[in-house]
Amino acid sequence: MTISRGEFLRILPGATAGVPQPAGADEWCGADVACGWSVRIEPLPDLALGALHLPRHRVRLRVDGCEPGARERFLARWELHFRRGGG
């Protein structure tokens, strides 16, 4: 993702519909009655476009133990919150 760590953490609670629990320095987890999830971010070198430098992170998302349809709903909410638009 082309996103700063701070921006990622600001969006994370909405994307997961809850308060993520720290599970390490750059890892968070959570669960509800329908699903469990964990996410880990890893810094990557900035994306340089001339004088513009954009922070990037590798994001590893795991969704487990879901009731039918819960995984798809979780991923749809995740995508909606982290969606970026151009202009």
Side-chain angles (χ1 to χ4, degrees), residues 19-67:
V19 178
Q21 300 299 310
D26 289 322
E27 187 172 359
W28 298 267
C29 63
D32 61 23
V33 295
C35 254
W37 60 269
S38 65
V39 63
R40 173 180 287 246
I41 63 171
E42 177 184 330
L44 295 171
D46 284 358
L47 174 62
L49 302 168
L52 179 64
H53 290 263
L54 302 172
R56 296 186 311 153
H57 286 83
R58 176 174 289 121
V59 177
R60 297 171 193 240
L61 176 63
R62 183 176 176 165
V63 183
D64 302 324
C66 296
E67 295 177 357

Side-chain angles (χ1 to χ4, degrees), residues 2 6 8 20 24 31 38 43 59 70 81:
T2 304
F8 181 85
S38 65
V59 177
H81 279 80

